[in-house]
Amino acid sequence: MARGVVASSAPVKNYLGKLTVFVVFACIVASSGGLIFGYDIGISGGVTSMDSFLLKFFPEVYQRQKTDSTTNQYCKFNSHLVTLFTSSLYLAALISCFFASTVTRVLGRKWSMFSGGLTFLVGASINCAAKDIAMLIIGRILLGFGVGFAIQSVPLYLSEMAPAKLRGMLNIGFQLMITVGILCANLINYFTAKIKGGWGWRVSLGLACIPAIIITLGSLLLPDTPNSLIERGHTERAKAMLRKVRGTNDIDAEYEDIVAASEESKAIKHPWSNLLKRKYRPQLTMSLLIPCFQQLTGINVVMFYAPVLFKTIGFGSEASLMSAVITGSINMVSTFISIATVDKVGRRALFFQGGIQMIICQVAVGTMFKFKFGTSGKANGPLTKAYTDWLLFFICAYTAGFAWSWGPLGWLVPSEIFPLEIRSACQAIVVAVNMLFTFIVAEGFLSWLCHLKFALFYCFSGILVVMTLFIAFFLPETKNRPIEEMSIVWKKHWFWGRFVADQDVDDEKMEMGKKTTTD
């Protein structure tokens, strides 16, 4: 299995390079693209739990929760318009990522980030000034286009700029910024909900302009990656940039590998059709299943609808928003654990530990819902402090497990396994699949909760079992491997090796891999 894949050592020392201040700065600025995604995830559920927002845009839902005390708790917020408000962004992001793929390849990663930030800024402004549902949805669609462009380019940029031995740590900066965005949104929702006059939701939605401005202006300061420069024909600039980002003049080996990959990339006129070739079967499978599984963990049940979910089970408005702040804080802090360990223990170990932890927590939450609300959705007695404390504990433990496993690794692993000739196309698929299943979960969750009740959490735990087994059998370890050497990793895998022919692996790299294995 994947244990047969070992990390590179002395033969690739100069190839790996070292961490420079220049690279750290570039990666921090690029990672800020995660702020717009995270802020939106956190803000959506918060504003849909505010009475003033519901009264203006969703009066039927507001009346239902205020006047009917016998309402099934599982179905309290079930509304197509509420879910459309949340999910429309992700459908727009799905569509935009295919346009973003072309921009990323032709103009470079930084201009895709710039386009995303600018579009998100316009959408945030429209949402802040929204007077009706139509205006609100138009703003959400523009936000979605911005998110699609940003998450198409940022993970690629980070993986290409980082030295291989620290690629995991630097790439996870994107996920860290997502969690920072979520936490900031939760805190803002908590305080804006207290604003008298019913316009606090406008502040929450309007402050999305701040992360949009950060990534828009920040992208203008970013250098192009050596890979992108070579791909676009700027070879001398690429060599100078590679020396700068690696902090050494001895970059010939890495430079030649990138040039070789670029030449192969240019020989491919139709990267989309090439994805169907047998030798790309491992990458295509991962680009489809990893982002799909990331969303089917059920994390967006917590991140999108945390305030709504807590309010559903009896927390007050203020308590539900504060509970969302707590889970957002756990999410951000736990991401640092992944940053500290991903390049030491590897990707697979974090996937295993996080998966098992999330399975246990989903079963526990489902069981607590079962005994408190049964199938009727009506509480079996008042909520006790012990019950709410334990429920919050399991939700926080679940969030922590996601934050150091599927959260960051769902972006990291796909961004580091694609050869240059199909990299933009595969990343577009990753984003599209991620946004498709984010849309499905966001659109369906409130309805699923209404119909499946506590069993919904058991369904998510079952999916997590399947996901963890998939990682165990089919994902090789990729820590410390240069991106341009990933063909060796697939060739040595017990299952994927049959799809990668010997001639598909560069002879020099194959020899290096054999030498490293014997060492």
Side-chain angles (χ1 to χ4, degrees):
M1 284 178 60
R3 294 182 182 86
V5 179
V6 295
S8 302
S9 57
V12 290
K13 182 176 180 181
N14 289 330
Y15 192 115
L16 296 178
K18 64 182 181 181
L19 186 63
T20 64
V21 174
F22 182 75
V23 169
V24 172
F25 169 78
C27 288
I28 290 174
V29 174
S31 296
S32 66
L35 287 174
I36 62 176
F37 190 25
Y39 187 88
D40 184 80
I41 290 173
I43 218 71
S44 301
V47 295
T48 52
S49 72
M50 294 183 188
D51 289 346
S52 57
F53 182 81
L54 290 175
L55 187 60
K56 182 171 183 62
F57 296 106
F58 309 104
E60 291 183 2
V61 176
Y62 176 80
Q63 292 300 326
R64 189 189 309 156
Q65 67 162 316
K66 290 298 181 183
T67 61
D68 188 359
S69 60
T70 64
T71 296
N72 183 332
Q73 295 298 305
Y74 293 120
C75 303
K76 201 170 189 178
F77 286 86
N78 185 24
S79 165
H80 176 67
L81 283 177
V82 172
T83 55
L84 181 63
F85 164 74
T86 300
S87 62
S88 56
L89 180 148
Y90 303 100
L91 187 60
L94 187 160
I95 296 169
S96 71
C97 68
F98 294 103
F99 298 99
S101 173
T102 301
V103 173
T104 301
R105 185 179 69 255
V106 176
L107 300 180
R109 286 53 167 151
K110 63 178 289 182
W111 293 111
S112 184
M113 294 182 220
F114 176 81
S115 301
L118 192 61
T119 309
F120 194 91
L121 179 61
V122 175
S125 301
I126 292 175
N127 268 354
C128 178
K131 297 183 180 299
D132 52 37
I133 284 287
M135 198 170 174
L136 203 62
I137 299 302
I138 290 172
R140 294 287 294 172
I141 290 173
L142 289 174
L143 293 176
F145 274 98
V147 167
F149 271 80
I151 63 178
Q152 157 71 20
S153 52
V154 172
L156 285 183
Y157 185 93
L158 296 173
S159 287
E160 290 177 350
M161 287 295 282
K165 63 183 178 182
L166 296 172
R167 187 175 59 244
M169 179 186 75
L170 293 175
N171 192 288
I172 290 175
F174 175 64
Q175 177 66 19
L176 177 63
M177 288 298 186
I178 292 177
T179 65
V180 170
I182 292 172
L183 177 59
C184 289
N186 290 335
L187 287 167
I188 288 168
N189 279 334
Y190 180 74
F191 289 107
T192 57
K194 301 174 181 290
I195 295 177
K196 304 297 183 182
W199 49 272
W201 62 269
R202 290 192 186 276
V203 178
S204 292
L205 296 179
L207 287 177
C209 291
I210 294 178
I213 292 171
I214 291 174
I215 183 58
T216 302
L217 297 181
S219 63
L220 297 176
L221 302 176
L222 292 175
D224 280 311
T225 68
N227 308 64
S228 179
L229 288 169
I230 290 174
E231 189 177 23
R232 288 149 47 211
H234 306 298
T235 54
E236 290 305 314
R237 286 176 57 197
K239 186 173 286 189
M241 183 58 65
L242 193 57
R243 291 193 187 98
K244 192 170 184 179
V245 299
R246 296 294 175 255
T248 177
N249 289 323
D250 191 2
I251 47 86
D252 290 344
E254 182 174 6
Y255 177 79
E256 289 169 6
D257 277 343
I258 297 174
V259 169
S262 178
E263 289 174 353
E264 185 176 353
S265 173
K266 290 175 181 177
I268 295 177
K269 302 300 181 183
H270 305 288
W272 294 101
S273 60
N274 270 274
L275 286 174
L276 300 178
K277 287 186 176 181
R278 181 179 175 84
K279 68 177 181 178
Y280 297 132
R281 198 69 50 81
Q283 293 94 331
L284 181 60
T285 301
M286 295 301 164
S287 67
L288 291 170
L289 290 184
I290 288 181
C292 165
F293 284 155
Q294 186 192 48
Q295 295 310 312
L296 292 181
T297 58
I299 186 62
N300 287 331
V301 170
V302 175
M303 294 295 106
F304 289 159
Y305 296 115
V308 171
L309 185 61
F310 287 125
K311 204 171 179 182
T312 291
I313 60 174
F315 285 50
S317 295
E318 187 171 316
S320 68
L321 289 170
M322 178 50 70
S323 299
V325 170
I326 293 171
T327 57
S329 301
I330 295 293
N331 189 26
M332 185 186 74
V333 172
S334 299
T335 303
F336 282 103
I337 296 176
S338 187
I339 290 173
T341 59
V342 68
D343 290 315
K344 295 183 177 69
V345 303
R347 285 65 162 149
R348 286 165 53 84
L350 290 176
F351 270 128
F352 293 153
Q353 195 286 326
I356 293 170
Q357 183 168 317
M358 287 190 287
I359 291 168
I360 294 171
C361 292
Q362 286 279 21
V363 171
V365 170
T367 301
M368 292 185 72
F369 268 61
K370 176 183 178 182
F371 284 107
K372 179 53 94 177
F373 298 103
T375 56
S376 68
K378 297 177 182 176
N380 179 20
L383 292 178
T384 64
K385 186 177 186 301
Y387 177 89
T388 55
D389 286 348
W390 275 107
L391 183 65
L392 187 58
F393 167 78
F394 281 117
I395 289 177
C396 287
Y398 163 82
T399 302
F402 177 85
W404 59 57
S405 62
W406 278 95
L409 300 182
W411 295 108
L412 167 61
V413 172
S415 73
E416 66 183 358
I417 63 174
F418 305 136
L420 186 61
E421 64 267 20
I422 60 169
R423 192 169 297 160
S424 290
C426 277
Q427 185 65 16
I429 291 176
V430 169
V431 175
V433 173
N434 190 293
M435 291 298 101
L436 173 63
F437 281 89
T438 304
F439 170 78
I440 291 171
V441 171
E443 181 70 19
F445 169 64
L446 294 179
S447 177
W448 298 341
L449 183 63
C450 182
H451 292 91
L452 295 176
K453 304 174 175 60
F454 62 84
L456 176 60
F457 300 95
Y458 293 154
C459 289
F460 281 127
S461 65
I463 294 171
L464 279 162
V465 171
V466 173
M467 292 161 50
T468 305
L469 291 174
F470 173 80
I471 294 298
F473 287 102
F474 297 108
L475 182 69
E477 183 55 68
T478 57
K479 73 170 182 176
N480 296 339
R481 298 301 304 213
I483 295 178
E484 309 306 331
E485 286 188 11
M486 285 298 169
S487 55
I488 301 173
V489 175
W490 298 115
K491 182 61 182 174
K492 291 182 177 180
H493 190 266
W494 73 273
F495 180 78
W496 299 119
R498 72 191 70 181
F499 295 98
V500 183
D502 290 339
Q503 60 265 31
D504 294 329
V505 180
D506 182 89
D507 291 338
E508 181 180 346
K509 292 178 184 176
M510 198 60 185
E511 288 302 316
M512 184 183 294
K514 290 176 181 177
K515 185 179 187 305
T516 303
T517 304
T518 57
D519 289 344

